[in-house]
Amino acid sequence: MTQRRAPVDRSIFPLGWGLLAVLPTLGILLILLSGCLGAWRDSPPRDVILLSVDTLRWDALGIAGASRADTPVIDDLAEEGTYFPNAFAPMPRTTPALGSLLTGLWPSGHGSREVGDPIRTEATTLAEILKSRGFTTLAVSANDSASPKQRLDQGFDRFVSYRDLVERQGGDLYRYPDSAETDQPGWATVTTRAALELIREESGSERLFLWVFYFDPHFVYRPPVPWQERSPAEKCHRLYDYYEQNRNELGRLYADVGGVASEALDHCRELYRAEVAYTDAEIGNLLDGLADAGRLRDALVVFTADHGENLGEWGLYFEHGDNVHDAALRIPLIFSGPGIAEGRRDRTAVSLVDVPPTVLSLLDVDASLHVDGTDLSSRLDPGTRPPVDPGRMVFAESGTPMWNEATEHVTTGREWGRICINGPRYTLCENPRKAPGELLLYDHVEDPALTRNLADEKPKVVEELRRSWTSWPPETARQRTVRTARFKLVEFPRLDGTYESKLFDLRDDPGETRDVKERYPEIHDRLQRALEAWASNLPAPRDRPYDPELEESLRALGYLK
């Protein structure tokens, strides 16, 4: 196991400050970070370490109360700093969420509203601002959906991408299905090594901004030894063996067609837990290396995730993005470092868009920029303890349900693959790129795997669903939500082009199963007005230019049919 790092020495930083940045939470905000030196610290942190983990549920950590969690490093970060247990991603997909983490903008503002879509060049990133202030900016990303292709390298002096890691490591990775030797280095191990190599090569830099994005524990859950040996997982491994040979059927797994996912859920959950433990250990190795290099003593460490993971919630298994359940939206967010309140739990609803303005404020960086996030630095002040803000609202939308077998959604599929629209019983599909004009009709009640085409037998049903398609162009029928510390309103698309709203009281119903809008009509109406105002700024669907490289990447992941 990894050597535990020593707590950060804060004794040289005097405490006590009361700067409060009061910002509205709707629309595009103009933030003027004044650069006034806060009285509760003599000097800002020298370095910034931004750690993010793909597909990390907030409740997978010991700090969240998970009884069988093995996450001592992340838990220690929370104990050494301020932990926000009600933090949320603006979309449960990697590229849009990380775009928000790096720009402080909702996905509609930075331009990436689906996995793989690039952010706009005019969106200013945290790395660009810090680079202009003299920071050496470094990044390692273990996910190909978070790469220079998506312009997430904007502002970084050096950016080690997924493809760079693969080229360096070759096939010597246990992460890949064809790797037979379980003692080969795992993906998180390679990510840590690359980050520490960058630190060594830039040892002379006066100030550093380092962003490390770990891919584990994304499905498939495949940690190396000894983590995979901690619990039996035969049922999950059998799923891997089948679906790695039949990737075109992955939608059946994620939608639990025939109960194939729910049957293996307990074993797959064990492997997911092991992936989280493995990643925690590698983060410990990274922090140890940073401490040895002298880059941790005066560093601000920010820890978070891009999104969570559905493990059966609302019918989605081992995936994320199709819906806005908290399983995929709720994430950990921790600020730790000199002058940050220790051991604090702040249950105010916060978002990834809050990270850039907060970091800049803590650094006393003068910057005038438009962001959608709020500066949380006053909530980190050890000299004061702001009360939880029960009225703070954060917003999110789902991604496009990609798997055609997910027939509970109005529409499914990416526009470069097979797209479908779903009625109460029938599903109408088309593949415009491969077979334009050819319509396929399925009875998803009798045929949930969508294998028997009934279009010639039921032309009236085809025409009815075809007309409904005008209400929902491809990739537009998405769930959307507004969240406070306690309540959550969700709008679900309906076939007729409207939305059905539901209100959940997350204090009494964390599983989001009971609609309480009749019990709390005033709260429902207030949240719905706020959500409608936020959604009014969502752009119309854009005509995405065809990108064969992105299509190939999405097909390799099984996202397109």
Side-chain angles (χ1 to χ4, degrees):
M1 297 297 290
T2 183
Q3 176 186 355
R4 299 300 303 281
R5 71 188 183 95
V8 177
D9 181 4
R10 296 177 175 81
S11 61
I12 60 173
F13 294 92
L15 307 180
W17 178 55
L19 174 63
L20 176 63
V22 181
L23 300 170
T25 59
L26 295 174
I28 300 296
L29 310 176
L30 180 64
I31 294 184
L32 300 176
L33 300 173
S34 66
C36 297
L37 197 62
W40 59 282
R41 56 182 187 275
D42 283 342
S43 61
R46 180 183 65 170
D47 298 331
V48 178
I49 312 299
L50 175 59
L51 306 176
S52 56
V53 178
D54 205 324
T55 322
L56 179 62
R57 291 169 61 111
W58 78 280
D59 58 2
L61 305 177
I63 194 67
S67 60
R68 297 181 59 197
D70 182 12
T71 54
V73 175
I74 300 170
D75 296 343
D76 280 353
L77 276 177
E79 293 295 345
E80 295 167 6
T82 296
Y83 165 53
F84 291 89
N86 282 329
F88 299 91
M91 183 181 290
R93 288 267 164 80
T94 293
T95 319
L98 293 180
S100 294
L101 174 65
L102 296 177
T103 67
L105 298 172
W106 302 120
S108 58
H110 61 62
S112 176
R113 291 183 65 208
E114 193 46 272
V115 62
D117 285 354
I119 66 172
R120 297 189 179 98
T121 54
E122 59 268 27
T124 302
T125 67
L126 180 61
E128 287 177 297
I129 296 172
L130 296 184
K131 181 177 179 178
S132 71
R133 301 309 193 272
F135 282 74
T136 298
T137 53
L138 310 172
V140 179
S141 170
N143 187 334
D144 204 26
S145 296
S147 73
K149 180 75 173 178
Q150 289 78 39
R151 302 195 186 108
L152 296 184
D153 64 331
Q154 286 184 192
F156 285 101
D157 295 307
R158 300 180 65 184
F159 191 105
V160 179
S161 70
Y162 162 89
R163 299 188 183 197
D164 295 329
L165 293 173
V166 171
E167 183 177 351
R168 294 180 184 185
Q169 197 67 31
D172 185 27
L173 277 173
Y174 179 64
R175 179 81 199 172
Y176 293 122
D178 57 356
S179 295
E181 301 299 327
T182 59
D183 59 350
Q184 290 176 326
W187 200 226
T189 304
V190 172
T191 304
T192 295
R193 289 176 182 172
L196 292 179
E197 182 179 339
L198 284 181
I199 293 297
R200 286 192 295 270
E201 292 172 353
E202 299 292 341
S203 60
S205 297
E206 182 177 349
R207 303 187 78 181
L208 285 178
F209 171 45
L210 172 68
W211 173 41
V212 183
F213 180 42
Y214 288 90
F215 184 66
D216 315 74
H218 194 287
F219 191 79
V220 294
Y221 316 133
R222 192 185 293 276
V225 293
W227 290 270
Q228 63 171 262
E229 301 170 338
R230 295 185 175 186
S231 56
E234 293 87 353
K235 293 180 181 179
C236 203
H237 284 298
R238 285 201 294 270
L239 285 183
Y240 296 169
D241 292 341
Y242 179 80
Y243 287 101
E244 283 168 357
Q245 301 301 318
N246 301 274
R247 296 189 66 81
N248 202 46
E249 299 181 22
L250 273 171
R252 304 184 190 187
L253 172 64
Y254 299 139
D256 197 29
V257 173
V260 293
S262 52
E263 169 65 20
L265 177 60
D266 288 345
H267 281 196
C268 289
R269 194 190 298 272
E270 290 294 327
L271 282 179
Y272 175 83
R273 185 179 292 116
E275 279 274 44
V276 175
Y278 163 54
T279 304
D280 180 85
E282 279 303 324
I283 291 172
N285 288 335
L286 174 64
L287 293 175
D288 286 342
L290 289 169
D292 291 343
R295 308 301 318 201
L296 204 55
R297 179 181 176 86
D298 299 335
L300 168 66
V301 179
V302 183
F303 175 84
T304 190
D306 58 348
H307 51 71
E309 179 83 315
N310 288 74
L311 297 174
E313 294 87 358
W314 286 0
L316 183 63
Y317 289 77
F318 320 135
E319 249 288 20
H320 46 266
D322 290 14
N323 60 52
V324 293
H325 194 283
D326 268 12
L329 279 184
R330 193 173 177 186
I331 54 175
L333 178 61
I334 299 167
F335 292 86
S336 179
I340 304 283
E342 297 185 39
R344 178 174 294 175
R345 311 287 184 271
D346 189 322
R347 300 190 180 279
T348 301
V350 298
S351 171
L352 287 180
V353 298
D354 300 330
V355 171
T358 303
V359 169
L360 292 175
S361 179
L362 292 171
L363 293 174
D364 295 315
V365 169
D366 293 326
S368 299
L369 72 158
H370 293 282
V371 297
D372 295 316
T374 294
D375 175 9
L376 303 175
S377 62
S378 65
R379 312 197 72 85
L380 309 176
D381 177 3
T384 63
R385 191 178 183 95
V388 171
D389 181 358
R392 170 79 196 282
M393 301 180 191
V394 294
F395 302 87
E397 63 174 340
S398 72
T400 298
M402 296 186 184
W403 313 101
N404 299 141
E405 292 84 355
T407 54
E408 72 275 14
H409 297 280
V410 172
T411 65
T412 63
R414 300 288 306 258
E415 60 182 346
W416 294 337
R418 188 171 72 174
I419 55 175
C420 302
I421 189 164
N422 302 294
R425 182 177 187 116
Y426 294 99
T427 292
L428 182 67
C429 300
E430 181 184 13
N431 196 324
R433 182 161 296 279
K434 285 190 174 181
E438 179 185 5
L439 299 177
L440 308 171
L441 183 71
Y442 305 99
D443 181 342
H444 61 246
V445 175
E446 297 293 331
D447 177 26
L450 309 182
T451 61
R452 298 187 297 275
N453 182 16
L454 306 176
D456 292 339
E457 301 175 30
K458 299 183 179 294
K460 289 186 178 179
V461 177
V462 170
E463 187 55 33
E464 289 173 1
L465 286 174
R466 193 175 187 177
R467 286 197 298 269
S468 297
W469 231 330
T470 60
S471 300
W472 297 112
E475 304 189 27
T476 61
R478 303 177 176 206
Q479 297 174 15
R480 55 199 194 190
T481 184
V482 56
R483 177 74 146 77
T484 66
R486 176 177 173 181
F487 291 99
K488 180 177 183 179
L489 184 136
V490 179
E491 290 189 332
F492 299 88
R494 294 191 286 204
L495 191 62
D496 63 2
T498 62
Y499 290 89
E500 175 188 9
S501 66
K502 293 184 179 182
L503 181 69
F504 301 104
D505 181 350
L506 299 170
R507 184 187 66 183
D508 299 332
D509 177 30
E512 301 173 58
T513 61
R514 300 187 298 273
D515 182 8
V516 296
K517 63 174 174 286
E518 300 299 330
R519 183 177 178 183
Y520 300 103
E522 293 183 0
I523 292 175
H524 171 272
D525 292 347
R526 176 169 60 87
L527 293 181
Q528 187 171 49
R529 287 193 299 271
L531 182 58
E532 294 298 327
W534 179 80
S536 68
N537 293 313
L538 296 178
R542 61 191 177 97
D543 185 15
R544 182 188 290 110
Y546 176 59
D547 185 336
E549 183 179 342
L550 177 58
E551 180 182 15
E552 179 184 356
S553 174
L554 293 174
R555 288 194 185 281
L557 292 169
Y559 284 146
L560 296 179
K561 284 192 174 183

